[in-house]
Amino acid sequence: MPGGDLEIEFRSGALTRCIFQPGALQRLGELCASVGFAGTGALVCDVRLLATPWREALLALESTRLGAPIPRPVSEARKVLAEVEEICDALSARGVQRDGFVVAVGGGVLTDLAGFAAAIYLRGVPWVSVPTTLLAQADAGLGGKTGANLRSGKNLIGAFHQPRLVVCDAALLTTLPARERWSGLAEVVKCALLDPARDSSGVSFLDRCERDLERAATGETDALAPLIESCARYKADIVARDEREGGMRAFLNLGHTVGHALEAATGYARFTHGEAVALGLRGTLWLSRARGLIDEPALQRASRLVARLKIAADRRLDEPERSAVLAALAHDKKVRGGRVRFVLLKALGAPVVVEVEPQECVRAVEASLA
């Protein structure tokens, strides 16, 4: 049920406690203490949060061991090593020692960067992930993937560093712009296609997603909370067994192969991450059918749900941009022997990793943008 508490034990021995509770931001100091943090903390937050209704809750944490917020002007374009270095400098200035910890409050870019800083500062200090966007609560906030981009591609540098605590406060999502909520819902839909039968507060995850998608997009907490928790529980089951993407964790890349290429080819400026994933899901479904993997009823059900995801960006690409997408695919981390590894669907809830030839990649990109 929403409002739950989940403890994940990884094969490496790492532990992550996940809290799903509207209003949890105000209890952040208490929650950090509950997992044994006693040293100096550093709360690194997206600077834009200090211009939202959550400003006072963040400033109030100065009276705890977290101290005054350290605001950072993060964006996809600033998701680079230089920003990680600046965060590390801020941790040093705060006086964080090996018994200290980092608290990352923001969207997926912020949690990736601050988590990476925590992984390398003093050769690693514990950290807490407090994702404040739907995209991050559904995906980036849990699982320990941290990192930054290179000019040649997204997330090509980083580290696996599990947060000791993840705090998902669905109330934080009510003040997001509608486009940001739709962006996050692409990750929710992805998870529902991967794990359709999971219980989601009394109904299947896929049924709930189909029923409540538009309500969640308007920011209704009672629609958002069970979807977020279902995503997190699915991802927890995966990453607890495959912490470093040696096997089934790759399934979480459904829709991301083309999605990442679209982002890179357009300079991370046109599409939100979720919009790119939504487009990537279209190409994934096309490839699944072209390979004869998925039956027509399942394909149509998945396609109808994916088609409901709203994409504000102009998806029309000129020829140089399309060439850039294909070049980005060729540099994808998952390329093996010139073939790109895609996650496809044999059925709803039955992903499979398939190596795809370059010409099929062209057709998948065309299907994504159609």
Side-chain angles (χ1 to χ4, degrees), residues 55 107-108 112 143 210 306 364:
R55 171 186 172 85
D112 276 7
E210 291 172 323
V306 170

Side-chain angles (χ1 to χ4, degrees), residues 7 12 14 38 44 49 55 59-60 69 121 135 166-167 173 194 202 204 218 247 287 324 348 369-370:
E7 186 92 6
S12 65
V44 182
L49 288 170
R55 171 186 172 85
L59 294 179
Y121 177 72
L135 188 68
V166 177
V167 179
L173 311 179
L194 289 167
S204 79
T218 66
L287 271 173
L348 298 176
L369 298 171

Side-chain angles (χ1 to χ4, degrees), residues 165-188:
L165 177 67
V166 177
V167 179
C168 290
D169 182 346
L172 295 171
L173 311 179
T174 60
T175 57
L176 290 176
R179 185 182 183 189
E180 288 298 317
R181 282 194 294 269
W182 277 114
S183 180
L185 285 168
E187 290 285 354
V188 173

